[in-house]
Amino acid sequence: QEWCSWMDRQLQMVFPDGRRRQLVASKLSFARNEIADEGVRTLVNYLVRKGISVLQLKLYRNCIGDVGAASLGELVSASPFTVQEVHLSYNFISDRGAVELLQAISRSGRYPCLSQRSENHGRELPLWMRLEYNYINWPRIQKQLDEVKWMSAEARDSQAVKDSKAAICLHYSYRNQQDMGYNYGGWWDKGKGKGWEAEQWQERDRERDRDRDRDRDRKRNHKAQGDRHERGD
């Protein structure tokens, strides 16, 4: 809500008469902001209401769940210009949210779409999406995605992606999910690896928590320094 109010003030300054052309944000990032479902719904409603398009939306390392994921499906369907990338890794999206989001993208009929990136301009590409490290059991929802044309790749600019007719391309690490069992990888590629051991998963979680705590402390220190500066301390 704070960002929406700030954006309203910016629009009023730039377009005081209320007349403005179609606005397109090449990138909008709210990564590492502790945004939850309500924050995503507020953001999506604002962008749709104002007719603002976002080509690359980064929302990784937040607190987004299934309701927020479904809201993003609405944004992808309603955006005047097609969204090119959505980054949602390290959130709290489960099976239901993943299915609703991917099905909404597929039902929109907008993908593959013309790329806005200079190196691929004019080429039709799928929506690039990051969904690793959520709470999605991909084998369990596979049948629900039968009608969704999707693929995975290591890079969005790979030849396989360029040659595909898929609507969605997930980063190949999408199989890596949180708390899905220590041998989650084995569900997919039997005999091609045993997955992480328990100690590795626990250390990864500890490192994630340390990163979160460091980010929170930096924000608090930065705010405290700004408050002291305003008071003249």
Side-chain angles (χ1 to χ4, degrees), residues 54-170:
V54 178
L55 301 185
Q56 183 186 91
L57 181 59
K58 294 194 173 186
L59 291 166
Y60 59 87
R61 289 189 181 273
N62 278 297
C63 306
I64 301 167
D66 294 338
V67 173
S71 295
L72 291 170
E74 297 174 17
L75 175 64
V76 169
S77 300
S79 178
F81 285 79
T82 49
V83 181
Q84 309 277 302
E85 301 179 27
V86 179
H87 296 248
L88 286 166
S89 54
Y90 290 97
N91 276 289
F92 294 88
I93 300 168
S94 71
D95 297 4
R96 182 169 65 90
V99 169
E100 289 188 18
L101 175 58
L102 298 185
Q103 286 182 343
I105 295 169
S106 177
R107 286 195 301 266
S108 74
R110 308 182 76 181
Y111 299 92
C113 66
L114 293 178
S115 173
Q116 300 298 319
R117 292 166 58 87
S118 57
E119 61 269 33
N120 293 314
H121 192 72
R123 184 188 292 271
E124 287 196 340
L125 294 177
L127 173 65
W128 176 254
M129 182 170 290
R130 302 290 297 259
L131 275 172
E132 65 271 20
Y133 296 114
N134 279 277
Y135 292 85
I136 305 166
N137 188 322
W138 290 101
R140 189 163 57 203
I141 64 174
Q142 198 165 12
K143 288 186 177 179
Q144 295 174 265
L145 300 178
D146 280 347
E147 302 301 318
V148 178
K149 294 182 179 179
W150 66 283
M151 63 176 295
S152 66
E154 184 173 1
R156 60 189 172 190
D157 296 324
S158 67
Q159 194 59 46
V161 176
K162 295 177 181 178
D163 293 340
S164 79
K165 296 298 181 183
I168 305 158
C169 183
L170 301 178

Side-chain angles (χ1 to χ4, degrees), residues 11-79:
L11 292 175
Q12 181 60 36
M13 290 171 57
V14 178
F15 306 103
D17 59 358
R19 298 179 181 179
R20 56 183 174 84
R21 292 174 292 178
Q22 181 70 60
L23 296 180
V24 181
S26 59
K27 179 169 70 173
L28 184 60
S29 178
F30 288 98
R32 302 173 182 267
N33 267 281
E34 300 181 3
I35 294 175
D37 289 342
E38 188 59 35
V40 174
R41 291 178 62 180
T42 299
L43 174 64
V44 168
N45 289 339
Y46 182 85
L47 294 173
V48 172
R49 187 174 72 254
K50 297 290 185 178
I52 300 175
S53 300
V54 178
L55 301 185
Q56 183 186 91
L57 181 59
K58 294 194 173 186
L59 291 166
Y60 59 87
R61 289 189 181 273
N62 278 297
C63 306
I64 301 167
D66 294 338
V67 173
S71 295
L72 291 170
E74 297 174 17
L75 175 64
V76 169
S77 300
S79 178

Side-chain angles (χ1 to χ4, degrees), residues 177-190:
Q177 297 293 311
Q178 303 193 57
D179 301 331
M180 297 299 294
Y182 298 133
N183 291 314
Y184 182 66
W187 298 359
W188 288 84
D189 298 309
K190 220 168 186 179

